[in-house]
Amino acid sequence: MPQGITFGPDSHKIHIINQFAGKRPFLFNLDILRAHGQFEHQIVVTIVLDSHIASELHKYRVSRQRMRGDIRQAIEEFLSYVTRYNFDYNPTFYLLESYFKSDPKVFVDKVAPVATSIVYLHSMDEERFLKTKEILLKPDAIDYYLTKFNVRTIEDCGRAWVEEYIGDSKKIDNLVQLINLSYVCLLKMTLIHKKDKRPIEKKLDEFESFMTEELGLRLARESHLAMYCFADLAGSFIGVQAGMNFEKAKRILCASAWDIFLIRFPEQLLSPRYLPEMNLAFACTAEKKLAELGELLTLERLLTRSDEEISIPTVSMNLSKLEEKLGRDTATRLMAASEERTLQQILKKERKAINHHKLRYLIEDLEVQLSYLCKSR
């Protein structure tokens, strides 16, 4: 898959973000491979839909004639692409975000129709759609989903899919913890940057110390994003200003935390426990700022020790904008220091990440500090 694929007119573009950039996407430890013996790689390509695109696919299925022309064009170009190459596309990100943000009493009723529409689109006759854009279902595909979910109708499939997903509460809690880790990093990043006019190196040192000492881990993408933030290059992605409405500031940072989680999805699906299947996932979004951030980052490899399921990503960053702002020598020095910190984290034998309760208290404390910033103008 080439870098930076987009669909649709300028007024409504869909972006598929390729963080692999044609390089080796992961590296498993040799003892893990030996444990699995001889096997053939089974590579599955998955497009992870953001919530907006998942919703638009549902609208396309149920009422495409009433959609805006530019939106319908973007959706049809996207569907033609994934259909032609037989790529999987799924609403798991949408399900998690909706679960997190919805009233539990109405969650299933709210999102099941969207999941149902994805089942419809997965079951359509591909050749017919590519020729005519008509959604005509294949009986064997319908039978497959009815059997898979042990139900009688496609609508029941959508509902069963949602109920099955939220049934794994431990997995959901772990994913939400990861989103909260991004959120707390964005809070700290904002507070450090707005506190004073220290050199970028000093701000990075404080932020890196916060991650290792307070969180007990190091998040590569947040570390790279901090460089952009402290160089005033993050733009609207971290658009919090002194005197801003406090609730609005929290919404901005929370939305950015979810965006980071979406581009982190590929490494979540690349794990030794899935061998011999290798799932190469690509985030798909309609947000230009997120696509730009994703294209700056490259997942070079994924390192996993044989005694753990957790993998540590090695993520590199395009330095061109930093070089323009800070100079090549400074940008190179900052990246070299970041790579050294990553190596030290990998070599560290004992890593105790912050638990859910302590993270919640830390978020509350930093939100109080953010409220003071929002009143400080």
Side-chain angles (χ1 to χ4, degrees):
M1 178 180 292
Q3 184 133 352
I5 295 179
T6 60
F7 309 95
D10 290 340
S11 57
H12 189 91
K13 282 193 175 297
I14 294 176
H15 309 266
I16 295 181
I17 304 170
N18 179 11
Q19 296 178 81
F20 299 140
K23 300 181 181 180
R24 182 186 301 174
F26 49 84
L27 177 64
F28 293 124
N29 236 343
L30 288 177
D31 53 352
I32 294 177
L33 296 181
R34 292 193 191 100
H36 285 81
Q38 297 295 322
F39 61 88
E40 294 182 0
H41 300 331
Q42 300 171 9
I43 297 178
V44 177
V45 176
T46 298
I47 310 299
V48 182
L49 309 172
D50 74 4
S51 297
H52 175 73
I53 294 176
S55 298
E56 293 297 342
L57 285 172
H58 171 60
K59 293 177 185 176
Y60 180 82
R61 200 272 296 183
V62 298
S63 58
R64 58 177 162 167
Q65 297 306 321
R66 296 197 296 272
M67 296 178 75
R68 270 175 37 189
D70 56 345
I71 298 176
R72 183 172 65 249
Q73 178 184 340
I75 293 295
E76 287 183 345
E77 287 182 15
F78 167 78
L79 281 175
S80 295
Y81 179 81
V82 295
T83 299
R84 184 177 299 112
Y85 291 102
N86 195 30
F87 290 161
D88 177 41
Y89 53 98
N90 69 66
T92 52
F93 176 86
Y94 163 77
L95 296 181
L96 181 64
E97 187 174 32
S98 298
Y99 181 75
F100 186 80
K101 297 180 178 180
S102 300
D103 182 340
K105 296 179 181 178
V106 300
F107 165 72
V108 175
D109 291 336
K110 175 183 176 183
V111 304
V114 176
T116 296
S117 288
I118 301 299
V119 175
Y120 265 93
L121 295 172
H122 281 179
S123 303
M124 68 184 180
D125 185 315
E126 296 91 346
E127 292 185 7
R128 185 68 170 263
F129 179 79
L130 290 174
K131 290 178 181 178
T132 67
K133 300 299 181 287
E134 181 182 2
I135 299 175
L136 182 66
L137 301 185
K138 296 188 299 184
D140 59 337
I142 297 173
D143 290 342
Y144 167 79
Y145 282 108
L146 294 181
T147 301
K148 177 181 179 180
F149 292 107
N150 192 27
V151 294
R152 295 184 177 181
T153 68
I154 295 185
E155 285 69 23
D156 291 337
C157 288
R159 192 174 190 88
W161 191 356
V162 175
E163 291 174 343
E164 179 182 87
Y165 183 79
I166 63 174
D168 191 346
S169 58
K170 182 178 179 181
K171 179 179 180 179
I172 290 178
D173 288 345
N174 289 337
L175 293 177
V176 171
Q177 174 80 345
L178 187 55
I179 296 161
N180 284 335
L181 284 168
S182 286
Y183 178 59
V184 79
C185 284
L186 294 173
L187 282 168
K188 187 65 176 180
M189 207 182 295
T190 299
L191 293 169
I192 291 173
H193 188 42
K194 298 300 180 181
K195 182 169 62 176
D196 53 44
K197 297 185 179 297
R198 286 176 297 164
I200 185 173
E201 290 89 346
K202 297 292 185 182
K203 292 183 177 182
L204 280 171
D205 285 343
E206 182 179 349
F207 181 69
E208 293 284 352
S209 295
F210 168 78
M211 283 198 292
T212 56
E213 295 173 13
E214 296 289 339
L215 303 183
L217 47 76
R218 185 173 182 274
L219 299 171
R221 290 180 177 82
E222 285 77 0
S223 180
H224 292 332
L225 182 59
M227 297 185 200
Y228 267 68
C229 174
F230 299 151
D232 289 318
L233 293 172
S236 61
F237 202 82
I238 311 179
V240 175
Q241 303 295 331
M244 176 181 283
N245 176 273
F246 174 54
E247 293 300 326
K248 180 180 179 180
K250 287 199 299 181
R251 285 197 301 271
I252 289 173
L253 297 181
C254 185
S256 293
W258 279 95
D259 287 343
I260 293 172
F261 176 67
L262 177 60
I263 61 175
R264 182 172 267 128
F265 229 95
E267 68 206 49
Q268 302 300 311
L269 297 180
L270 276 174
S271 170
R273 66 180 178 272
Y274 297 133
L275 288 173
E277 181 176 285
M278 296 182 180
N279 198 324
L280 299 185
F282 300 85
C284 182
T285 180
E287 293 190 31
K288 183 179 179 181
K289 67 172 185 176
L290 178 57
E292 291 173 347
L293 174 64
E295 300 295 356
L296 286 173
L297 304 169
T298 299
L299 182 59
E300 298 281 356
R301 54 183 59 87
L302 205 60
L303 302 173
T304 303
R305 291 204 293 259
S306 59
D307 58 341
E308 296 182 349
E309 287 192 354
I310 298 174
S311 300
I312 301 176
T314 300
V315 180
S316 65
M317 183 173 68
N318 185 319
L319 297 179
S320 57
K321 291 185 179 180
L322 277 176
E323 290 175 349
E324 291 177 11
K325 183 73 178 284
L326 305 175
R328 177 172 295 181
D329 290 344
T330 299
T332 302
R333 186 173 67 252
L334 293 174
M335 180 55 69
S338 176
E339 291 174 350
E340 177 62 24
R341 293 187 186 103
T342 298
L343 178 60
Q344 293 303 317
Q345 184 71 15
I346 292 171
L347 296 175
K348 204 172 182 180
K349 293 297 183 183
E350 294 184 6
R351 298 191 306 274
K352 280 195 173 182
I354 189 171
N355 62 41
H356 291 62
H357 298 296
K358 289 183 179 178
L359 181 59
R360 187 65 255 169
Y361 291 139
L362 183 57
I363 287 174
E364 291 174 358
D365 177 58
L366 292 178
E367 284 182 339
V368 170
Q369 296 180 47
L370 180 67
S371 70
Y372 295 149
L373 174 67
C374 291
K375 296 175 183 177
S376 65
R377 189 170 60 185

